Amino acid sequence: MLHHCCRCNWLKILFRSNFCQRKLSSSHFNCRLFGSDLVPSTSQWIEIKEEDLPSKTILSLEEVRHVENLALVQYEDLNFEKTILEDAIRFADILLTVNTDDVEPLYTVLEDESLYLREDIVTEGGSAENILKNAQSVMEDYFVAPPGNIALSDSEHKSN
Amino acid sequence: MSSTDVLMKPLVSVLQMLRNRVISTEELLHRTYTRINETKSLNAFVSVVEKNDNLEFCIKDDRSSILKGIPFAVKDNFSTRNISTTCASNMLRNYVPTYSATVVKKLTDAGGTLMGKTNLDEFAMGVGTVDSIIGPTRNPWQYDFQHPNPDDWYIAGGSSGGSAVAVATGASYFALGSDTGGSIRLPASFCGVVGLKPTYGSLSRHGLISLVNSMDVPGILARCVDDVVFIYNILSGNDPRDSTTVQGKVEKVVMEENPSVKDLVVGIPKQYYGPDVSPEIIDCWKWAADTFSNNGAKVVEVSLPHTQYSIVCYHVLCCGEVASNMARYDGLQYGHRSDGGFTEEMYAKSRNEGFNESVRGRITAGNYFLLRRNYRKYYEKAQKVRRLIQTDIKKVFDKGSGKNSGVDVLLAPVTVSTAPQYKTFAQKTNSYRTVEHDIYTQSANMAGVPAISVPVRLSQAKLPISLQLLASNFNEGTLLRAAKFLENASSFQHPKFDF
């Protein structure tokens, strides 16, 4: 199946499978596989059923809120966000059906390359003005922020 | 020749015309501005550089430069000095970078004229160029320019849809895009242009606003393979500002007029025939396989057994890296800033106002997968599956490993269909469509290998059908020669999209 061209004598042709016989009109002595014969005729995917997956993760509203607070983003409707997140998790569950025994994680496709260090020489600087340029609130050379030390989860000031 | 004719010519021809003073750079820019204006209903550009600024700059008409003032466009997630860079998001609506991305600087240093920033899905998350603060970009194919119907048009694909449309319509000779999961190849295929995703590490990401650091690559959209080669040779190479660019492995590509594919080993990855691929695309795939074999190539079937898990893997890793990359947007140093009594409140409000739902969705999912209790189960698991996917691909390209290997290029579909109509596309969510359309493109990003989309013919509905070629790392030469062969053999023509 993997060779693209085979020379067969006419006796062998009689016993070849269908895809070769239909090319007979071009030559009695050449039995050639065309490129198109190698494109599959149907989907090659394995069907993954619901029962192949572990049980579906159902989140509590607290858990959703917890992720919101870590992410510092939220949806307007907490229940809708719960559904979106559960769907995302469910889709990811497909990975759990793949055997990864003795497989190392891949952090970067450049793992076989060296990172090059440049010389420790200053080549640019004095860019304070550029760095501050796009900030909305600046005072002298400082970015201005409201006070910290308060976690969003502890406060009643939730953006809704 | 009509105004648009010269704008549709290949780079080499136009450069010749400029050299021989058949046309001046100034005239070329005038025509390009006219063209951008003519096609503005397609909404390809987020912003256009002031005409006078560009003309003033080009008056010296530098004949010694490589690009001689040739106009080009850049996706609006590449930083451009003193030119607004929005990522099509409210978060960066008013952001004006103080530096340019390396790939942009290389083009302007080579004498190119930056015309404008092109539309994308917000922060490059999407496959339609429909989720943008300036609205969706429309595909020029089957678009009624005379009587445009607001409900009846085809999507451009994403997320580099603006760049694809600018190139397809002649508003730009070539354009920069970015490809994280297929964001160059997909719009290229929907718009009938060539889209190259180079090897990870061959082009600098400095100045490309990060989506997924381990997969993002800048890339090129143009109307022919020759033009892609020309620009690739300007852009490729190590950049001290991007430590993930390699040294010594990137070579300039030399292209023949009629590259031969004799003895080229072309692999047909069987798992790229998944559920829901359109019969027209399968037919095109078969035609291309025949064309290769009829011209002396050795076409073989290969197996990439983990292909169907690649999109799931992409989903987890993408969300994880997005959660990390988007953490920088808090309104403090740049970007949209909302009021808040304390920092976390300010950050949360700024982010909720600045990011659209799709972006927030990915950040949330990413944060979930990165929770300490989930990290091993999902994120590390995805990294392991990524290795399996990369190993599958490496194996088939490996010379001398026996069965299921020794391939020079892989030939496959780009996606499951031609460009969908907007009204159909919009019925499903961003994440649904991402899973649907990035299905055959993101594997190349997982493995880092170069891949290209080449338009080959038109469908029954007169929309472009493209095919994808992949090669092993840093083998852009092999990839582009196979692409040029396919282009030469195909019947695809670029229309002028005139009124």
Side-chain angles (χ1 to χ4, degrees), chain B residues 67 72 103-112 174 176 231 235:
Chain B
L67 286 173
F72 70 98
V103 288
V104 173
K105 192 163 185 305
K106 281 188 168 182
L107 291 173
T108 50
D109 284 351
F174 61 92
L176 289 183
I231 301 305
L235 296 181

Side-chain angles (χ1 to χ4, degrees), chain A residues 93 98 104 113 124 157, chain B residues 241 249 345 378 381 387:
Chain A
D93 281 342
V98 183
E104 288 296 305
E113 305 291 330
E124 53 188 283
H157 301 272
Chain B
R241 289 193 154 89
K249 289 203 164 178
E345 184 184 50
Y378 289 109
K381 180 77 176 180
R387 182 176 294 284

Side-chain angles (χ1 to χ4, degrees), chain A residues 106-140:
Chain A
L106 183 76
Y107 304 111
T108 170
V109 296
L110 298 179
E111 62 183 8
D112 296 330
E113 305 291 330
S114 300
L115 286 185
Y116 289 86
L117 299 178
R118 64 187 187 91
E119 291 303 311
D120 188 12
I121 304 166
V122 173
T123 53
E124 53 188 283
S127 325
E129 197 189 320
N130 282 341
I131 290 168
L132 296 167
K133 218 175 211 170
N134 278 289
Q136 278 193 37
S137 185
V138 162
M139 185 177 296
E140 293 179 7

Side-chain angles (χ1 to χ4, degrees), chain B residues 116-328:
Chain B
K117 310 298 291 297
T118 55
N119 203 14
L120 63 157
D121 286 295
E122 184 164 331
F123 280 107
M125 299 188 210
V127 293
T129 311
V130 297
D131 287 334
S132 157
I133 51 169
I134 66 152
T137 293
R138 295 169 186 81
N139 198 322
W141 289 85
Q142 298 307 310
Y143 184 79
D144 190 343
F145 281 93
Q146 304 276 31
H147 311 285
N149 182 339
D151 295 320
D152 189 14
W153 46 275
Y154 290 83
I155 62 160
S159 60
S160 310
S163 285
V165 169
V167 168
T169 55
S172 189
Y173 282 96
F174 61 92
L176 289 183
S178 67
D179 193 310
T180 303
S183 289
I184 285 177
R185 290 161 286 157
L186 183 64
S189 85
F190 285 173
C191 295
V193 298
V194 179
L196 171 70
K197 175 221 163 293
T199 310
Y200 182 88
S202 62
L203 261 63
S204 173
R205 287 183 300 114
H206 172 72
L208 167 60
I209 294 175
S210 300
L211 173 61
V212 181
N213 293 316
S214 71
M215 298 186 207
D216 291 347
V217 271
I220 305 152
L221 296 101
R223 286 183 298 274
C224 60
V225 175
D226 282 343
D227 288 0
V228 167
V229 170
F230 196 95
I231 301 305
Y232 172 79
N233 285 337
I234 296 174
L235 296 181
S236 61
N238 172 259
D239 178 17
R241 289 193 154 89
D242 176 1
S243 63
T244 61
T245 52
V246 300
Q247 287 193 5
K249 289 203 164 178
V250 176
E251 287 167 1
K252 300 300 170 196
V253 174
V254 177
M255 183 56 70
E256 307 99 64
E257 210 175 307
N258 289 300
S260 159
V261 295
K262 190 168 182 309
D263 300 326
L264 187 78
V265 184
V266 178
I268 306 289
K270 64 180 184 181
Q271 290 88 354
Y272 275 56
Y273 193 145
D276 306 324
V277 193
S278 106
E280 281 188 295
I281 290 189
I282 299 295
D283 212 59
C284 193
W285 193 9
K286 287 182 171 168
W287 168 83
D290 274 344
T291 306
F292 274 105
S293 67
N294 289 340
N295 283 276
K298 183 178 171 189
V299 180
V300 299
E301 182 194 82
V302 293
S303 178
L304 299 174
H306 297 93
T307 299
Q308 75 183 80
Y309 304 103
S310 191
I311 186 72
V312 189
C313 197
Y314 174 74
H315 158 74
V316 174
L317 295 179
C318 180
C319 288
E321 290 209 39
V322 159
S324 175
N325 279 323
M326 296 292 130
R328 72 194 64 181

Side-chain angles (χ1 to χ4, degrees), chain A residues 66-78:
Chain A
H66 176 59
V67 179
E68 265 188 2
N69 289 329
L70 288 171
L72 290 181
V73 290
Q74 60 181 185
Y75 281 57
E76 271 154 30
D77 179 350
L78 196 64

Side-chain angles (χ1 to χ4, degrees), chain A residues 33-53:
Chain A
L33 276 180
F34 285 81
S36 54
D37 296 320
L38 297 162
V39 173
S41 50
T42 166
S43 169
Q44 300 293 300
W45 284 29
I46 304 163
E47 196 198 332
I48 297 170
K49 300 191 198 81
E50 191 68 29
E51 48 261 37
D52 298 327
L53 303 175

